[in-house]
Structures are given as C-alpha cells and as structure tokens.
C-alpha cells in the first residue's frame, strides 16, 4: 500500500499550521501572564504607601490559566489548547488579509473573564462571570479581539495588529479599566422578590440566588 501524496500533504500541512498557531498563542499567553504579574507588582507597590489598602493579587490557576484580583474583581485569562478557524460569515473572513492567505484565519484563543472576587471567596457557586473579551492569535502573531467596549473597539485591526509587549500591556490595562467601570447593579425587583424556603434555609452567601454584575440587564453593546 502506498501513501496518497495529496492526503499526506494535507495532513502534514494542516498539522504544521496548527503547531505554529499553538506556539504563537502560547507565546502570547505567556506574555499576558508576565505583564499581569508586573502590573500586579506595580499596583502593590503603589498600594504600599496608601493609608487605606486595596487587595491586589496574581495567581496561577494551571498551565493555561491565571487570575489577577484587584479591589472587588477578578480577571481570569484562559488559553484554549485547540486551534480554531473563523466561520465563513465572520467579518474577519472578508478582509483582504485573510483573502490573500486563508491559513491566516486559523487562530488560537485566549479568553478574558470577569468575576466578582466575593463569588470565589464565599464559594457562591451560582454567581455569574462574564467574558469581556477573547484574543485570537494566528501563526503570524497577528491578533484580533472580540469584546466589550474598550477591548472590542480598540483592537480589531487583524491585518496590522501584531502581538508585542506594548500591545499586551494595553490589552491588560484596558481589561482592568473596563472591569473597574463595569459596576455591580441591583437586579430588577421582580426578578428577586420571590425566595424559596430552601434557599432561605441555606447559608445566605451560598444560596441559589445568583449575583452578577448585569443580572437582568444587557451590555450596552449587546443591543447593537
């Protein structure tokens, strides 16, 4: 039996491409991790001279996940280990950058989530977190961000945007800025006026009532 040459070329080419994308995404993730650590140290140094203290922490949550805590919030950065391609209907697929070379549409992804720090501190398992952005990185180290406000509006030039220490710092700072301005709002009264006996008999912080920054509300950009 002889190996089909076209099949061999397809498997090897796609395999090499995915390896290149994975390695580029891993380098980007490591840059995010280093930047987050450095920013946390800078916040901690600035906080040391303040009379009133605010909590700033960096924590690894595994090989592909880390968190930074500041004030009452947590940002979790999580790298997916698989490689993805944008759907045919995605706006990125219509750009000249992708049309020139379809391989550029294959990307790794780093998700950025926002949670309330108290949700983890008090183990409120029903509380909600929000993905505020996801960073797509291709084999050429170009990146594209889908996200809310600061993130989604500032970093969407896939053809020219290249991952660098400066761009990573800007993204992390924008995520912190967005999270800080993304306030916890009281949910509509009608959504929380009923509480079961079982919920009230359990510990207050662990009961089935859900806490989230926009519980019952929509992101401003969700209406677009």
């Amino acid at each position: 039996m002889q190996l089909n040459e076209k099949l061999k070329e397809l498997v090897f080419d796609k395999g090499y491409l995915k390896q290149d994308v994975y390695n580029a995404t891993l380098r980007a993730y490591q840059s995010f991790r280093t930047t987050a650590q450095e920013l946390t140290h800078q916040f901690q140094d600035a906080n040391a001279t303040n009379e009133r203290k605010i909590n700033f922490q960096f924590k690894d949550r595994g090989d592909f996940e880390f968190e930074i805590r500041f004030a009452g919030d947590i940002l979790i950065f999580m790298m997916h280990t698989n490689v993805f391609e944008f759907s045919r209907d995605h706006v990125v697929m219509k750009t000249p950058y992708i049309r020139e070379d379809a391989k550029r549409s294959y990307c790794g992804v780093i998700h950025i989530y926002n949670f309330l720090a108290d949700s983890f501190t008090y183990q409120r398992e029903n509380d909600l977190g929000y993905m505020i952005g996801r960073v797509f990185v291709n084999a050429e180290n170009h990146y594209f961000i889908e996200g809310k406000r600061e993130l989604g509006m500032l970093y969407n030039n896939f053809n020219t945007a290249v991952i660098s220490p400066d761009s990573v710092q800007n993204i992390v700072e924008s995520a912190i800025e967005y999270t800080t301005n993304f306030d916890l709002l009281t949910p509509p009264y009608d959504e929380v006026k009923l509480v079961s006996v079982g919920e009230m008999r359990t510990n207050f912080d662990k009961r089935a009532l859900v806490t989230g920054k926009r519980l019952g509300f929509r992101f401003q950009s969700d209406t677009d």
Side-chain angles (χ1 to χ4, degrees):
M1 185 178 70
Q2 189 173 5
L3 183 61
N4 183 292
E5 288 297 320
K6 289 185 177 180
L7 177 60
K8 182 180 72 173
E9 182 179 356
L10 171 65
V11 172
F12 277 89
D13 285 352
K14 185 63 71 68
Y16 292 146
L17 173 61
K18 290 185 175 181
Q19 285 182 357
D20 291 341
V21 172
Y22 173 86
N23 290 332
T25 308
L26 182 60
R27 288 193 299 270
Y29 170 80
Q30 292 169 340
S31 182
F32 275 102
R33 182 183 178 279
T34 299
T35 298
Q37 277 186 306
E38 293 175 351
L39 284 174
T40 300
H41 291 321
Q42 292 174 8
F43 275 117
Q44 289 171 340
D45 290 342
N47 192 44
T49 60
N50 292 337
E51 183 176 342
R52 301 172 64 182
K53 304 302 181 184
I54 295 178
N55 185 37
F56 295 95
Q57 292 181 351
F58 172 92
K59 179 182 178 182
D60 275 315
R61 298 171 56 93
D63 293 336
F64 303 100
E65 185 178 341
F66 68 84
E67 71 176 44
I68 50 176
R69 295 193 180 208
F70 49 96
D73 282 288
I74 293 179
L75 280 176
I76 295 178
F77 290 74
M78 180 187 302
M79 174 186 160
H80 202 294
T81 57
N82 292 113
V83 173
F84 299 87
E85 185 181 21
F86 292 104
S87 69
R88 294 180 180 178
D89 296 329
H90 197 283
V91 63
V92 166
M93 299 297 287
K94 302 174 184 178
T95 63
Y97 176 68
I98 298 299
R99 288 177 176 173
E100 290 173 3
D101 186 350
K103 293 180 180 180
R104 293 169 173 168
S105 65
Y106 288 86
C107 294
V109 61
I110 300 170
H111 298 92
I112 308 174
Y113 293 96
N114 174 218
F115 289 89
L116 297 169
D118 280 359
S119 298
F120 286 86
T121 300
Y122 299 110
Q123 300 179 15
R124 298 195 304 236
E125 302 295 336
N126 295 299
D127 281 6
L128 299 176
Y130 297 87
M131 181 191 295
I132 64 171
R134 54 181 182 173
V135 185
F136 296 94
V137 182
N138 71 9
E140 297 180 350
N141 296 308
H142 284 230
Y143 71 93
F144 175 88
I145 297 182
E146 289 183 335
K148 302 298 182 181
R149 266 192 243 163
E150 285 88 350
L151 275 73
M153 293 175 61
L154 293 180
Y155 310 104
N156 56 4
N157 297 315
F158 197 25
N159 61 321
T160 59
V162 178
I163 285 287
S164 68
D166 288 340
S167 63
V168 167
Q169 180 175 342
N170 288 336
I171 294 169
V172 176
E173 289 179 347
S174 295
I176 294 174
E177 178 184 357
Y178 179 83
T179 299
T180 302
N181 289 326
F182 181 26
D183 294 318
L184 177 64
L185 299 183
T186 180
Y189 179 82
D190 286 341
E191 292 192 11
V192 295
K193 66 181 180 181
L194 298 178
V195 181
S196 71
V197 173
E199 290 167 350
M200 196 53 69
R201 290 180 63 181
T202 59
N203 182 278
F204 181 80
D205 286 330
K206 296 182 181 179
R207 70 189 189 200
L209 295 181
V210 179
T211 301
K213 283 192 172 183
R214 289 296 186 270
L215 186 62
F217 292 86
R218 303 175 71 185
F219 283 98
Q220 179 177 346
S221 56
D222 287 341
T223 59
D224 295 339

